C-alpha cells in the first residue's frame, strides 16, 4: 500500500519534525549512512563568524551580512525531457510558481517527481528564470540547518563548515528577489518549510518530497504512478511503434505494467529489455510491426530485465556499473577512470543510460535500484577500494586537469573499504589527501570520520607517527568545527605549522584598526562595528599540519601557546597575566630543550613576552571606552600575540 502523503509521525508512531534523506533517496542500492554536520554558532560581538577550507587551509569568514550575495545563473535544466501523461501537472506547477507561490510534488519513490521538476525547470529557464537546484548529498542527514548551509554556499560563494545563523542569513538575503530554488528529495516538516519561506521571502521554492508537508495545500500535488494509457504511450515512443491489443498481449504488457508499479524508470527498462532481445532484433530487420513475438512472463520482472541488460554490457561500462553499485554514490564521468583504474572507462555513461541502468543526477550518474540488485544477484566482485584510492590520489595530484571534486561520501566509503580489507598503510596515506577534499567540499563530518579511520588504521598498522598525527589532528579539527569561541581560536593556532607573510601583513593592518577604534569608538553603540572590524582585521588562514615529530621542548612550547589562546581576557591587566603565563611556559620548555637553536629561541620568547606583560600591566584604556570594546581589542591582540609566537617557533619547531 502506498504511504505517499502520510506524515512521518503517522508511519513510525513518533514525531517527524525533521525528515532524513538517506543514501538511497538519490542513489538506489547505496549504503545508508546518516552523517551529522555543522555544530554550533560562534558569536563575535553582535554577529557570527564561520569557517571555510580553501587552498589547503582554514579561513575565518565574517558575518554573512558583510558578504555580497551572488546573482544566480539561469536555472539549470536538461536539454530534453520526455514526459507522458504529465503535461497538465507541469502547466499547473509552472503557473503557480509564476504567481510567486511555492510548490511541492510528493509521492512514492520512482513515480517521476524529479522528471516533472526537470520539465518545470525547462519551462522556467525558457522564461529567463534564475535560480538553483539542490540535490540530496549521499549520507547526509538533511535538516533545515544543512539546507541553510547549502543555500548560503550558493548565494555567498563559501562552503561553510559551521552552522549558519538563521537570523543573520535572513538579513543577508533580504534583498534577494525573483530567484527560484528547487530542493530535490526534501523531507522537511511543515514548520521548517514555513521558516525557510520566511528566511527566503523573495524566492519561490519547488520541493520534491515523499509526503505532503507544504503549508499551502493547494500547491502540494500528489504525483501518482503512470496510468496504463500513459505507460502504453511511453512504450510506443520507446519502441517506435503503435502497438495494438495483440502486440501488447504478446509483450505481456499487463504483467509488466503490474510489476513496474507504474514507475517510469521501470517501464523504460522494460522497453529497453524488449529491444535488446534476439527475437526482437531479428524481426526489426524485416521492418516495423505491431505484433511482436510473445515473451516469457518469467523474464518480465525488472530485476531480471536489469540483470539481462547488465550481462550484455561492454567491459568498461560493466566496471563503471559495478563501481556505482559498490560505492553507492553518483559519479561524474570525469571520475569513472580514477575510480575503476581504467582510462578507457571514461565515456561509459552513454551505454549505461541507453540500457536504462543509471539515471542522470545533476552532473553525475547514479545506478538504479533494480540495477544495483542485479549486480548483487549476478555475484560480480565489488570494485576494489585500493584501486579507487590510488586513482583518486593520483587525480588529486593533478587537480588542475580535472574539474570539480568527487562526492565526499565516495572518499568515506573508499576509506571504510580499505580499513575493512586491513590495508592500513594505504588507508593512512589516502586519508591524508581525502580530508582536505572533504573540507573543501564543505563536509566537516566526513572529514572527522576520515580522521577516525586514519587513526584506526595507523594504530593497527603500527604506524606510530601517523597515529600521533591523526589523534592531534582529529581532536583539534573537532574543536575547530564543534567547539566554542575559545576552542576555535586555540585550534586555529594549533593547526597552523607556519604563519605566512599574508598573515603578517594582516597583523600590521590590525594595529592600525585598533588605534582607530580606540580613538573613535567610545560608546555601547560602537560595539557591533568594533567587533566586526576586529574579526575582519584578524582573519587568518592556516594550513593543515603534516609534521610528525618535534625536538625536545617544542611540545611544551606549543602547549603553552594553546593555553594563551584559550584564556579569556577583558582588560590590559588580564592580557598581561596571560603573557606572563606564556613567558613562564617558554622558560619551562627551554629547560627541556637539548638543541642549541631551540633553546635560544625559547629563551628569547620568554624575554619577549615578559616585556609585553610589563607593557600591558601599565596600560590604562580610555575612560570613555565601553568595556566590551576593550575586551574585543584585548582578545584580538592576544590572538595576534599567539600567532607571532608561533612565527618565532616555526623555524626550529615543526608545529603540528
Amino acid at each position: 500500500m502506498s504511504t505517499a502523503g502520510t506524515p512521518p509521525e503517522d508511519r513510525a508512531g513518533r514525531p517527524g519534525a525533521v525528515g532524513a534523506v538517506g543514501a538511497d533517496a538519490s542513489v538506489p542500492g547505496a549504503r545508508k549512512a546518516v552523517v551529522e554536520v555543522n555544530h554550533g554558532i560562534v558569536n563575535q560581538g553582535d554577529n557570527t563568524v564561520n569557517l571555510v577550507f580553501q587552498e589547503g587551509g582554514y579561513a575565518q569568514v565574517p558575518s554573512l551580512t558583510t558578504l555580497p550575495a551572488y546573482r544566480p545563473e539561469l536555472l539549470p535544466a536538461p536539454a530534453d525531457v520526455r514526459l507522458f501523461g504529465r503535461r497538465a501537472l507541469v502547466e499547473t506547477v509552472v503557473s503557480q510558481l509564476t504567481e510567486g507561490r511555492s510548490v511541492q510534488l510528493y509521492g512514492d519513490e520512482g513515480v517521476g517527481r524529479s522528471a516533472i521538476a526537470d520539465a518545470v525547470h525547462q519551462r522556467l529557464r525558457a522564461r529567463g528564470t534564475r535560480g538553483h537546484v539542490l540535490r540530496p548529498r549521499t549520507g547526509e542527514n538533511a535538516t533545515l540547518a544543512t539546507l541553510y548551509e547549502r543555500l548560503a554556499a550558493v548565494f555567498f560563494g563559501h562552503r561553510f563548515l559551521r552552522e549558519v545563523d538563521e537570523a543573520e542569513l535572513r538579513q543577508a538575503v533580504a534583498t534577494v528577489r525573483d530567484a527560484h530554488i528547487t530542493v530535490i528529495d526534501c523531507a522537511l516538516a511543515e514548520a521548517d518549510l514555513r521558516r525557510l519561506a520566511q528566511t527566503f521571502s523573495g524566492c519561490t521554492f519547488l520541493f520534491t518530497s515523499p509526503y505532503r508537508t507544504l503549508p499551502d495545500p493547494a500547491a502540494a500535488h500528489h504525483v501518482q504512478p503512470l496510468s496504463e494509457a500513459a505507460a502504453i504511450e511511453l512504450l510506443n515512443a520507446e519502441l517506435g511503434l503503435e502497438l495494438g491489443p495483440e502486440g501488447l498481449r504478446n509483450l505481456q504488457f499487463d504483467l509488466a505494467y503490474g510489476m513496474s508499479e507504474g514507475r517510469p524508470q521501470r517501464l523504460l527498462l522494460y522497453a529497453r529489455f524488449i529491444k535488446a532481445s534476439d527475437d526482437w532484433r531479428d524481426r526489426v530487420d524485416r521492418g516495423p510491426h505491431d505484433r511482436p513475438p510473445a515473451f516469457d512472463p518469467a523474464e518480465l520482472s525488472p530485476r531480471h530485465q536489469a540483470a539481462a541488460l547488465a550481462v550484455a554490457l561492454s567491459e568498461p561500462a560493466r566496471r563503471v556499473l559495478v563501481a556505482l553499485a559498490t560505492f553507492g554514490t553518483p559519479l561524474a564521468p570525469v571520475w569513472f577512470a580514477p575510480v575503476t583504474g581504467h582510462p578507457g572507462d571514461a565515456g561509459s555513461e552513454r551505454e549505461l543510460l541507453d540500457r536504462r541502468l543509471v539515471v542522470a543526477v545533476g552532473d553525475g550518474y547514479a545506478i538504479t535500484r533494480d540495477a544495483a540488485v542485479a549486480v548483487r544477484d549476478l555475484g560480480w566482485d565489488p570494485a576494489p577500494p585500493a584501486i579507487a584510492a590510488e586513482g583518486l590520489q593520483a587525480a588529486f595530484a593533478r587537480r588542475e586537469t580535472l574539474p570539480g571534486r568527487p562526492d565526499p561520501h565516495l572518499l568515506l566509503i573508499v576509506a571504510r573499504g580499505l580499513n575493512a580489507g586491513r590495508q592500513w598503510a594505504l588507508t593512512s596515506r589516502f586519508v591524508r589527501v581525502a580530508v582536505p577534499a572533504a573540507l573543501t567540499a564543505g563536509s566537516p563530518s566526513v572529514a572527522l570520520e576520515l580522521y577516525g579511520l586514519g587513526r584506526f588504521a595507523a594504530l593497527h598498522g603500527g604506524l606510530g607517527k601517523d597515529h600521533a598525527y591523526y589523534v592531534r589532528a582529529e581532536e583539534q579539527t573537532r574543536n575547530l568545527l564543534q567547539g566554542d569561541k575559545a576552542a576555535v581560536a586555540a585550534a586555529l593556532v594549533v593547526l597552523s605549522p607556519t604563519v605566512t607573510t599574508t598573515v603578517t601583513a594582516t597583523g600590521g593592518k590590525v594595529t592600525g584598526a585598533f588605534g582607530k577604534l580606540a580613538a573613535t569608538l567610545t560608546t555601547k553603540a560602537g560595539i557591533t562595528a568594533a567587533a566586526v572590524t576586529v574579526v575582519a582585521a584578524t582573519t587568518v588562514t592556516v594550513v593543515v599540519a603534516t609534521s610528525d615529530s618535534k625536538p625536545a621542548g617544542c611540545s611544551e612550547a606549543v602547549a603553552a601557546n594553546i593555553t594563551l589562546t584559550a584564556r579569556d581576557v577583558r582588560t590590559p591587566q588580564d592580557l598581561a597575566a596571560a603573557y606572563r603565563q606564556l613567558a613562564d611556559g617558554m622558560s619551562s620548555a627551554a629547560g627541556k630543550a637539548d638543541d642549541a637553536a631551540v633553546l635560544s629561541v625559547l629563551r628569547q620568547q620568554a624575554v619577549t613576552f615578559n616585556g609585553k606583560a610589563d607593557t600591558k600591566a601599565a596600560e590604562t584604556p580610555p575612560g570613555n571606552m565601553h568595556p566590551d570594546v576593550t575586551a574585543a581589542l584585548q582578545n584580538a591582540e592576544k590572538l595576534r600575540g599567539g600567532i607571532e609566537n608561533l612565527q618565532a617557533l616555526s623555524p626550529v619547531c615543526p608545529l603540528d
Side-chain angles (χ1 to χ4, degrees), residues 225-542:
L226 287 185
S227 66
E228 283 198 23
I232 292 172
E233 184 183 355
L234 180 154
L235 185 62
N236 285 336
E238 286 293 304
L239 297 180
L241 298 172
E242 288 294 332
L243 291 169
E246 183 177 349
L248 291 171
R249 281 196 301 272
N250 286 345
L251 293 182
Q252 303 285 344
F253 171 77
D254 289 341
L255 178 60
Y257 175 75
M259 288 184 173
S260 74
E261 299 175 316
R263 303 185 184 202
Q265 181 62 35
R266 283 185 164 177
L267 289 164
L268 292 169
L269 179 70
Y270 167 54
R272 192 62 187 82
F273 173 72
I274 292 172
K275 292 169 69 175
S277 70
D278 292 336
D279 286 343
W280 181 267
R281 286 196 295 266
D282 290 342
R283 293 214 174 194
V284 166
D285 291 340
R286 297 196 294 271
H289 54 83
D290 62 358
R291 296 181 183 180
F295 271 77
D296 182 352
E299 296 180 345
L300 293 181
S301 75
R303 186 169 171 172
H304 180 276
Q305 295 166 13
L309 291 168
V311 167
L313 289 172
S314 67
E315 186 57 19
R318 190 194 71 84
R319 281 193 296 262
V320 172
L321 188 71
V322 170
L324 291 171
T326 300
F327 301 118
T329 191
L331 287 177
V334 71
W335 296 104
F336 288 174
V339 168
T340 66
H342 293 269
D345 292 353
S348 298
E349 70 277 6
R350 291 188 178 182
E351 182 179 353
L352 292 169
L353 272 175
D354 179 66
R355 299 298 176 89
R356 306 298 184 181
L357 299 173
V358 301
V359 292
V361 180
D363 295 331
Y365 296 88
I367 190 171
T368 66
R369 184 179 300 279
D370 293 316
V373 172
V375 169
R376 185 190 65 201
D377 289 348
L378 289 167
W380 289 341
D381 291 334
I387 290 178
E390 297 286 7
L392 289 167
Q393 289 182 89
F396 290 157
R398 60 177 192 278
R399 60 174 296 186
E400 68 281 356
T401 65
L402 291 176
R405 290 276 180 176
D407 188 324
H409 192 74
L410 170 67
L411 308 176
L412 186 58
I413 296 301
V414 169
R416 286 175 180 169
L418 294 174
N419 256 7
R422 305 173 67 85
Q423 295 174 288
W424 310 128
L426 180 55
T427 302
S428 186
R429 292 200 311 273
F430 178 69
V431 168
R432 292 243 184 178
V433 300
V435 165
L439 291 170
T440 301
S443 296
S445 293
V446 170
L448 288 173
E449 187 169 347
L450 284 168
Y451 270 138
L453 291 169
R455 171 172 47 79
F456 183 87
L459 175 64
H460 287 77
L463 307 172
K465 290 184 178 180
D466 281 8
H467 182 258
Y469 163 72
Y470 282 126
V471 168
R472 290 191 297 271
E474 182 183 4
E475 178 185 6
Q476 295 305 324
T477 303
R478 192 176 300 278
N479 288 339
L480 191 67
L481 300 176
Q482 301 177 357
D484 58 15
K485 182 167 62 177
V488 170
L492 277 173
V493 176
V494 172
L495 289 173
S496 174
T498 59
V499 182
T500 66
T501 54
T502 300
V503 175
T504 303
T506 302
K509 294 178 182 178
V510 169
T511 302
F514 287 161
K516 184 176 180 180
L517 281 170
T520 62
L521 297 177
T522 59
T523 66
K524 179 79 173 181
I527 294 176
T528 299
V532 172
T533 302
V534 170
V535 171
T538 58
T539 295
V540 297
T541 300
V542 297

Side-chain angles (χ1 to χ4, degrees), residues 148 166 170 173 191 193-202 205:
Y148 277 155
E166 183 179 52
R170 185 174 300 172
V173 299
L193 295 188
R194 289 184 185 277
R195 288 169 58 186
L196 180 64
Q198 291 168 358
T199 299
F200 288 84
S201 58
F205 285 88

